[in-house]
Amino acid sequence: MTTTVAGVRARARIVARDDGRGGTSLPVLDGDGPLALRRTRGSGAEARVVLVGAMSGPLGGDQFAIEADVEAGARLRVGSAAATIALPGQSKGEARYEVRLSVADGGELHWLPEQLISAGGSDLQVTTRVEVGATGRLVLREEQVLGRVGEAPGRLGSRIRVGVAGRVVLDQELACGPGAPGGWDGPAGLGGFRAVGQLVVVRPEFAEAPVPARVLAENAAVMPLAGPAVLVSAVAADALRLRRLLDEALDLLG
């Protein structure tokens, strides 16, 4: 970890590997500064890791990056111990948080962090890039809350890009808060809601039996993607309602 006037730079990396005995080993589990990784008790063949925030942030000017590589036959579930809160810092620069995930053929990854909260005065750009093999499996949840209780949000930009077998099936961007394009909070955007989330599910069987598009609730929809994948998008008044909508969607998908 390096601390400069420009902010904190921190990286974390996970590698999950089939151990040949019906389980998953973690030959690489390395994080520094605010990106501390802890292995917890797994279930069956699945290894479980929790991201523990060891410091506040990201703050203005910080640069965080986390990578997870799931090799063939491995199963990994990653969560976080608490919400991530983007905060203003001494540096006025934009903070960046990059997530890079890869799932090989026959691998499975559940990426289920707690929500990201964009506090007033913060400026954060989040980028998530995922590559999944043709027979890989993925559940990815992304939840963002605009401002703490009674607080206007900071500036938040988010991009998520998912490829399956070398083909891009999703490339989506969202911008909210001060400086975002006009209308982000209007009827064609978030419609006044302060919690927004996505759920991306990739399963090989979706290639033969695509999930039909449907309205899940008043503020949530299930949409098949151009590949063995589905996207659930939802908005809600708060984080609790948003989580309920996404959990319902995951139950619906089995």
Side-chain angles (χ1 to χ4, degrees):
M1 181 184 68
T2 302
T3 305
T4 68
V5 293
V8 173
R9 295 191 178 190
R11 302 186 68 85
R13 186 164 182 247
I14 308 167
V15 174
R17 180 173 297 161
D18 184 350
D19 66 6
R21 303 186 301 274
T24 297
S25 65
L26 300 174
V28 178
L29 185 65
D30 181 51
D32 58 14
L35 300 178
L37 301 172
R38 300 288 183 267
R39 181 167 189 170
T40 60
R41 184 181 297 274
S43 175
E46 181 183 77
R48 296 188 177 183
V49 173
V50 173
L51 177 64
V52 180
M55 296 170 57
S56 297
L59 308 178
D62 289 354
Q63 296 185 39
F64 294 176
I66 184 166
E67 300 178 12
D69 299 311
V70 180
E71 298 182 358
R75 295 180 61 187
L76 175 65
R77 180 182 295 261
V78 180
S80 56
T84 297
I85 305 179
L87 296 165
Q90 292 183 344
S91 171
K92 299 301 182 181
E94 175 188 78
R96 302 187 67 84
Y97 200 134
E98 296 187 1
V99 178
R100 294 181 181 269
L101 312 173
S102 68
V103 186
D105 286 341
E108 182 171 347
L109 172 62
H110 288 234
W111 188 264
L112 303 170
E114 295 301 309
Q115 66 267 22
L116 167 66
I117 301 173
S118 174
S122 64
D123 186 354
L124 177 64
Q125 178 66 41
V126 182
T127 304
T128 303
R129 293 183 173 88
V130 190
E131 292 294 334
V132 184
T135 59
R137 303 171 72 87
L138 170 74
V139 176
L140 183 150
R141 183 180 69 210
E142 182 181 80
E143 298 170 315
Q144 296 156 347
V145 179
L146 306 181
R148 292 167 291 192
V149 176
E151 176 186 63
R155 181 180 182 275
L156 176 63
S158 175
R159 181 180 181 183
I160 181 170
R161 184 183 188 276
V162 180
V164 180
R167 178 187 183 188
V168 176
V169 300
L170 175 67
D171 195 341
Q172 176 175 283
E173 293 190 62
L174 176 69
C176 306
W184 68 268
D185 198 25
L190 301 187
F193 290 101
R194 283 296 177 264
V196 56
Q198 290 76 232
L199 185 71
V200 181
V201 181
V202 178
R203 294 179 183 159
E205 55 266 33
F206 289 168
E208 300 297 329
V211 176
R214 60 175 291 182
V215 175
L216 178 65
E218 183 179 357
N219 301 311
V222 179
M223 296 166 284
L225 301 176
V230 63
L231 170 69
V232 179
S233 294
V235 294
D238 56 44
L240 180 60
R241 292 185 178 91
L242 178 65
R243 177 65 60 83
R244 287 175 178 167
L245 286 172
L246 296 181
D247 283 349
E248 289 175 10
L250 195 54
D251 288 343
L252 174 69
L253 296 170

